[in-house]
Each structure stands twice: as C-alpha cells, then as structure tokens.
C-alpha cells in the first residue's frame, strides 16, 4: 500500500489528478482521510506519481490504527523498510482527533528497538505519521519540493508574461487528461502548460494567434531543455486547418479570460464556443480536454453542446475579480 498527501487549495482536483495517474499505473485510491489518500498500487506507479502537481509527498504506508496505543503495538510487529538512519515526523491534519504531541518520540523508540539508528538533523529515511480520523505511519518516498515549482513561475522564465497559470496547476491540467505521449495547448501563450508537459517527457504541440507568443514560448521551452515540440502560429478556433492530418491524444489549455487585447479583438464567449468545437474535432475518440474558464461562462453546458462528456469540474477563487472553474471533458 502507498499513500499520497495532496495539497488543500483545490483538494477535489488534487484527488482526481492522483486518480488519473493511477489509471495509467494500474492502481486505485482505496480511502481518503482529509488530505491523506490510501493507494493500492506498487512501484510501477512511481513514474506516474512523480508527475503530480497538486501533491505534497507520497510514500509507503506501513501501519494504520484507531489509537496511539494500537499504532505503537502494530509498529513493533512490522519490519520497517528503513535505509540508514531515520527520524519520525508527525503531520497533524485539520481533522486530527488524537493526542500526538509525544508520538514521534514513542514511535522512534519502537523503531530504534529494532536496531535502527536515529538522526534528527539529516536522516536517510523519514518516517511520517499522519493524524486525521485515524492514525497512519509510513515511509516518505518522494517529496514535491515547492522550490522546483517556484523556479518555473512566469517571472522566472526568459520570456515573461504575467498572465500565466502557476506551474503546479499547469502540471495538474496535463495530468488530468491522462496524457501518455503528447499534448496540445491551443492557447499556449508563453508556454507554461507546455513546459510542464515537456518536463514529463511528453511531446508538446502549441498554438497561439500572436507571433511574439510563438517566439517567446520557444525561448522558454528551450530554456528548460525541452526539444520535442511543434509550435504553430494560428487560431484556436481553426485547429483542423493547422493540423489537417492529426488527431491528438489530449488537450490542456488556459484560454484568455478578459480584455479585447488578450482575445485579439473577438467576443470572449464566441471565442470559447468555437474553440471548444475545434478542439473536439482534433481530439481522438476517448481523448480528454482539461481547460479553465471564468466562472461566469457556463463551461459545462457549452462543453456538452460541443459534444464533450464532463468528467470533472473544480472551482477556484483567484482574487475578488477572478473566479474560475477547471473542467475535464472526454470525447
């Protein structure tokens, strides 16, 4: 058994991102306790879990219990897969119902009694205890360092445009499509979504109506070492003309939300409707689209009108003048 600790800003979206990756890996979510997901999967899932954007960490789940006493008793009977030295840390979630103040010391003593050495400053293995409706103890296998996402934010790219999804959300959109080999972004802008997809090893296709964006996106992709790409100058409402002989496995995109400048002088809702129709036409059967729309646009209804089936819908309030929904559709 494995576990994933997801982030709490859009938890439903984070959970479904994990589920999409497990569909590729042959695993499943078997339980959820606040932001803690129990996973039935093995090491074949690691490459897919490594792709996650809206996760804090994942690891091997060793023990779960309904009391501190039960946890310590079970911990003394299992073989801990600890390499080198170890340290115990406790994660107290918002729904924690146990007194875990002294638990790191008590659990550390149980594991120490099995012959393992403690190192509180630089442990080689981190034992993580989660307190929620139940207690869980496991070994951290992978930590998603916020610094890795911070260095890919818009203002740190060589070609900078302030209107861009955060890297974690860009990555999650790609993952929600279940893309295995390729992805298209028909409103690529400076290439934020393509950067995340390219770093995951996918071939990326990008379209933008502005020549400076096409040039800038290429600069950004090359900056992050991404070479497997095709970028085209063109209209997101006429994708069939740009790719006459191509059907895409997946599409992830964040269309412009507002001004006539960002919309190239076109009416916003009409642009969205025509783009949805065009994206439907260039997707393979069973292919998925992950897309963001402002909250005052009925993406669910318009996606259905274009022929899509809704798989997921997630709300986010960005600030007082921007609320949006992320949608996942399937053709």
């Amino acid at each position: 058994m494995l576990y994933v600790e997801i982030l709490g800003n859009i938890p439903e979206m984070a959970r479904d991102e994990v589920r999409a990756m497990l569909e590729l890996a042959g695993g499943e979510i078997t339980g959820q306790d606040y932001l803690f997901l129990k996973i039935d999967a093995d090491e074949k899932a690691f490459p897919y879990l490594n792709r996650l954007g809206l996760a804090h960490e994942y690891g091997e789940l060793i023990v779960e219990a309904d009391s501190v006493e039960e946890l310590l008793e079970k911990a003394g009977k299992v073989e801990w897969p600890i390499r080198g030295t170890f340290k115990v840390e406790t994660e107290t979630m918002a729904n924690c119902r146990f007194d875990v103040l002294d638990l790191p010391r008590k659990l550390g003593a149980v594991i120490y009694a099995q012959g393992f050495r403690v190192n509180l400053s630089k442990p080689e293995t981190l034992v993580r205890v989660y307190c929620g409706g139940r207690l869980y103890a496991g070994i951290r296998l992978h930590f998603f360092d916020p610094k890795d996402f911070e260095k890919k934010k818009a203002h740190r790219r060589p070609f900078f445009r302030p209107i861009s999804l955060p890297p974690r959300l860009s990555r999650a959109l790609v993952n929600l499509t279940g893309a295995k080999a390729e992805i298209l972004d028909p409103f690529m802008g400076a290439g934020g979504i393509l950067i995340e997809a390219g770093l995951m090893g996918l071939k990326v296709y990008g379209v933008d109506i502005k020549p400076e964006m096409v040039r800038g996106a290429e600069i950004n992709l090359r900056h992050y070492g991404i070479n497997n790409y095709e970028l085209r100058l063109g209209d997101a409402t006429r994708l069939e003309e740009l790719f006459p002989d191509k059907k895409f496995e997946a599409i992830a995109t964040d269309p412009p939300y507002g001004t006539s400048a960002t919309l190239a002088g076109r009416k916003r809702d009409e642009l969205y409707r025509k783009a949805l129709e065009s994206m439907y036409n260039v997707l393979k059967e069973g292919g998925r689209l992950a897309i963001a729309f402002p909250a005052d646009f009925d993406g669910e209804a318009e996606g259905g009108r274009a022929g899509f089936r809704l798989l997921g819908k997630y709300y986010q309030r960005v600030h007082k003048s921007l609320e949006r929904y992320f949608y996942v559709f399937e053709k």
Side-chain angles (χ1 to χ4, degrees):
M1 294 291 290
L2 304 176
Y3 73 86
V4 179
E5 181 191 354
I6 57 174
L7 301 181
N9 48 349
I10 316 177
E12 296 84 4
M13 186 173 174
R15 177 203 62 214
D16 286 354
E17 182 194 14
V18 174
R19 182 175 285 123
M21 291 297 91
L22 291 173
E23 286 178 9
L24 302 180
E28 63 177 342
I29 298 171
T30 59
Q32 180 171 357
D33 190 342
Y34 195 56
L35 300 178
F36 183 91
L37 304 180
K38 289 172 55 181
I39 305 297
D40 184 5
D42 56 24
E43 64 274 3
K44 293 193 295 290
F46 294 169
Y48 298 101
L49 294 177
N50 288 343
R51 286 172 48 168
L52 292 172
L54 300 180
H56 179 75
E57 67 176 77
Y58 73 81
E60 182 179 355
L61 179 59
I62 307 297
V63 175
E64 55 183 297
D66 289 309
S67 69
V68 170
E69 294 72 24
E70 183 187 2
L71 182 78
L72 294 173
E73 181 184 354
K74 287 183 174 180
K77 296 177 180 178
V78 299
E79 291 186 17
W80 287 83
I82 290 174
R83 295 180 180 178
T85 58
F86 79 96
K87 174 186 176 182
V88 180
E89 284 186 354
T90 302
E91 188 72 32
T92 304
M93 298 186 289
N95 65 331
C96 176
R97 63 185 188 91
F98 305 96
D99 180 4
V100 294
L101 186 63
D102 202 32
L103 187 52
R105 183 187 65 80
K106 291 179 179 178
L107 180 57
V110 170
I111 298 172
Y112 176 79
Q114 295 186 6
F116 297 106
R117 293 179 297 116
V118 176
N119 186 327
L120 298 181
S121 57
K122 290 186 177 181
E124 295 165 81
T125 299
L126 193 59
V127 177
R128 294 276 282 161
V129 179
Y130 287 85
C131 178
R134 304 188 76 200
L135 290 167
Y136 311 87
I139 302 291
R140 175 190 281 177
L141 297 176
H142 186 90
F143 172 62
F144 297 92
D145 193 337
K147 295 177 183 175
D148 292 336
F149 294 98
E150 182 68 30
K151 63 188 179 185
K152 293 179 291 181
K153 284 188 173 180
H155 67 282
R156 296 183 180 273
R157 301 170 191 157
F159 179 77
F160 167 57
R161 288 295 182 273
I163 302 172
S164 180
L165 280 182
R168 282 186 182 272
L169 282 174
S170 295
R171 182 167 283 249
L173 280 189
V174 174
N175 286 332
L176 285 163
T177 69
K180 298 186 289 291
E182 64 179 20
I183 203 150
L184 166 68
D185 182 354
F187 293 98
M188 69 177 172
I193 289 174
L194 299 185
I195 290 168
E196 294 305 317
L199 291 172
M200 288 187 249
L202 304 177
K203 179 169 184 178
V204 297
Y205 295 81
V207 173
D208 205 278
I209 202 165
K210 295 183 178 181
E212 66 268 25
M213 290 299 184
V214 178
R215 292 191 296 268
E218 182 167 21
I219 290 169
N220 285 340
L221 288 169
R222 289 186 175 277
H223 175 75
Y224 290 102
I226 298 161
N227 300 307
N228 194 11
Y229 62 83
E230 288 188 29
L231 307 183
R232 301 192 183 181
L233 177 66
D235 191 331
T237 68
R238 305 174 72 173
L239 298 170
E240 305 91 331
E241 298 174 18
L242 291 171
F243 303 99
D245 302 313
K246 175 71 177 168
K247 295 286 187 181
F248 291 93
E249 175 193 11
I251 300 174
T253 194
D254 180 35
Y257 297 155
T259 67
S260 60
T262 60
L263 300 175
R266 294 174 290 183
K267 291 184 178 179
R268 189 199 71 176
D269 289 9
E270 188 63 21
L271 170 64
Y272 291 170
R273 292 187 189 104
K274 288 184 177 179
L276 280 167
E277 292 169 3
S278 188
M279 287 185 273
Y280 183 87
N281 290 335
V282 298
L283 258 183
K284 293 178 180 178
E285 288 296 326
R288 293 181 182 177
L289 162 66
I291 190 167
F293 287 124
D296 62 349
F297 178 77
D298 192 345
E300 182 174 350
E302 296 298 341
R305 200 164 285 128
F308 287 107
R309 180 170 69 93
L310 182 70
L311 297 183
K313 178 180 178 181
Y314 317 98
Y315 170 79
Q316 184 191 37
R317 184 181 186 275
V318 183
H319 47 71
K320 64 180 181 180
S321 59
L322 177 57
E323 297 173 275
R324 63 186 169 200
Y325 283 96
F326 296 97
Y327 298 87
V328 182
F329 295 110
E330 185 173 73
K331 178 172 178 177

